């Protein structure tokens, strides 16, 4: 009888241990999912804060520009566009792909550079893309702002060209010193800074690539140019 009781107790304990282990496994899986969700939320908030700060900096620059070089009407229009973008950035929860005209993005980019000391040359474009116009403007602002920091005396050129297979390339380039090969390899990692920069790339390029990929596009550095050249690839509206 004692042997039977011991066997029964042992069996019950084994069942309980199995159930505890199963519950712990489920709890561990639930915690892993929660941790992943929290990390995605933190990443989103870091992105929002980064771009909001960039826009606020532009608004601060406008106050300086009011008394120095721009007419009131031009400043008001530039500020209006920047504030519109800030609201869109703070309100955004996810990328929304839809048809938009690249020229409208270029208009916002011109307003951004009007509030900074940037010599910008943008070729007009009538191409219609499929993606998120706010995210695309954030990408281009990040790239132009990098050129402003790294090549302050260079003209920053921005244009679009057909890539074939229903895609368009948007190129941003300057005539600065470019980026060393060792820096290129780590360029798009969050928080990595170029060793030659007065102000590091920080999170800007990592965020820019994430925004490009979230639209189904891509962003890379073209090391075949004497200065710095970044290429953004996006799908055309209608796939044409």
């Amino acid at each position: 009888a004692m042997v039977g009781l011991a066997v029964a107790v042992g069996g019950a304990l084994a069942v309980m241990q199995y159930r505890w282990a199963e519950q712990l496994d489920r709890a561990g899986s639930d915690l892993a999912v929660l941790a992943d969700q929290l990390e995605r939320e933190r990443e989103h908030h870091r992105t929002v804060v980064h771009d909001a700060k960039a826009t606020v900096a532009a608004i601060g620059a406008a106050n300086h520009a009011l008394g120095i070089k721009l007419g009131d009407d031009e400043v008001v229009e530039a500020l209006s566009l920047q504030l519109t973008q800030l609201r869109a950035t703070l309100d955004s929860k996810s990328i929304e792909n839809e048809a938009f005209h690249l020229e409208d993005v270029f208009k916002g980019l011109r307003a951004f550079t009007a509030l900074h000391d940037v010599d910008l040359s943008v070729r007009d474009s009538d191409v219609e893309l499929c993606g998120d116009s706010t995210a695309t403007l954030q990408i281009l602002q990040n790239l132009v702002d990098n050129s402003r920091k790294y090549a302050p005396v260079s003209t920053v050129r921005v244009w679009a060209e057909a890539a074939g297979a229903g895609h368009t390339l948007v190129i941003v380039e300057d005539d600065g010193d470019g980026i060393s090969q060792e820096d290129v390899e780590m360029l798009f990692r969050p928080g990595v800074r170029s060793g030659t920069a007065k102000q590091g790339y920080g999170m800007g390029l990592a965020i820019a690539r994430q925004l490009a990929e979230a639209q189904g596009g891509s962003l890379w550095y073209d090391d075949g140019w004497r200065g710095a050249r970044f290429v953004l690839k996006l799908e055309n509206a209608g796939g044409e």
Side-chain angles (χ1 to χ4, degrees):
M2 292 297 294
V3 173
L5 179 61
V7 170
V9 170
L13 287 174
V15 170
M16 291 175 64
Q17 287 176 339
Y18 173 79
R19 290 177 177 172
W20 288 338
E22 191 176 47
Q23 290 175 354
L24 286 173
D25 285 343
R26 281 201 299 266
S29 296
D30 291 342
L31 286 173
V33 170
L34 179 59
D36 183 60
Q37 291 174 342
L38 289 173
E39 180 57 32
R40 287 200 299 269
E41 286 294 322
R42 282 195 294 266
E43 185 63 33
H44 173 70
H45 288 307
R46 283 195 291 266
T47 300
V48 169
V49 169
H50 178 276
D51 288 308
K53 285 182 177 179
T55 306
V56 169
I59 294 173
N63 290 329
H64 182 65
L66 275 169
I68 295 181
K69 64 177 181 179
L70 299 179
D72 288 351
D73 291 342
E74 188 176 358
V75 171
V76 168
E77 181 180 3
L79 276 174
S80 177
L81 286 169
Q82 286 289 287
L83 287 170
T84 297
Q85 186 200 347
L86 177 58
R87 284 192 290 268
T89 299
L90 294 176
D91 290 342
S92 67
K93 293 182 175 61
S94 61
I95 297 295
E96 296 182 0
N97 286 346
E98 57 187 9
F100 69 91
H101 292 282
L102 183 58
E103 185 58 36
D104 291 336
V105 173
F106 282 173
K107 182 178 180 181
L109 187 63
R110 292 186 185 98
F112 173 78
T113 56
L115 302 177
H116 295 80
D117 189 15
V118 180
D119 184 7
L120 181 72
S121 173
V122 180
R123 297 182 199 169
D124 294 342
S125 174
D126 60 358
V127 67
E128 190 175 22
L129 301 177
C130 179
D132 188 296
S133 60
T134 298
T136 301
L137 179 56
Q138 290 173 17
I139 294 169
L140 297 181
Q141 286 184 172
N142 266 317
L143 298 178
V144 169
D145 199 44
N146 277 331
S147 290
R148 178 180 67 86
K149 296 172 184 176
Y150 283 77
V153 297
S154 170
T155 296
V156 183
R157 292 174 293 278
V158 182
W159 76 93
E161 61 183 44
H167 289 81
T168 292
L169 303 181
V170 183
I171 296 95
V172 178
E173 70 175 22
D174 61 53
D175 295 317
D177 295 330
I179 300 169
S180 67
Q181 189 59 46
E182 61 229 29
D183 284 336
V184 168
E185 293 174 359
M186 303 178 67
L187 203 55
F188 294 97
R189 297 182 185 178
V192 172
R193 298 173 182 272
S194 168
T196 60
K198 293 180 181 178
Q199 301 181 55
Y201 286 107
M203 290 185 62
L205 289 178
I207 291 171
R209 173 168 279 181
Q210 290 169 5
L211 291 173
E213 292 175 348
Q215 300 179 74
S218 55
L219 175 67
W220 66 88
Y221 179 77
D222 180 1
D223 58 5
W225 176 248
R226 63 179 180 271
R229 175 186 281 171
F230 291 89
V231 183
L232 171 65
K233 183 178 181 181
L234 293 175
E235 183 179 353
N236 296 341
E240 301 177 355

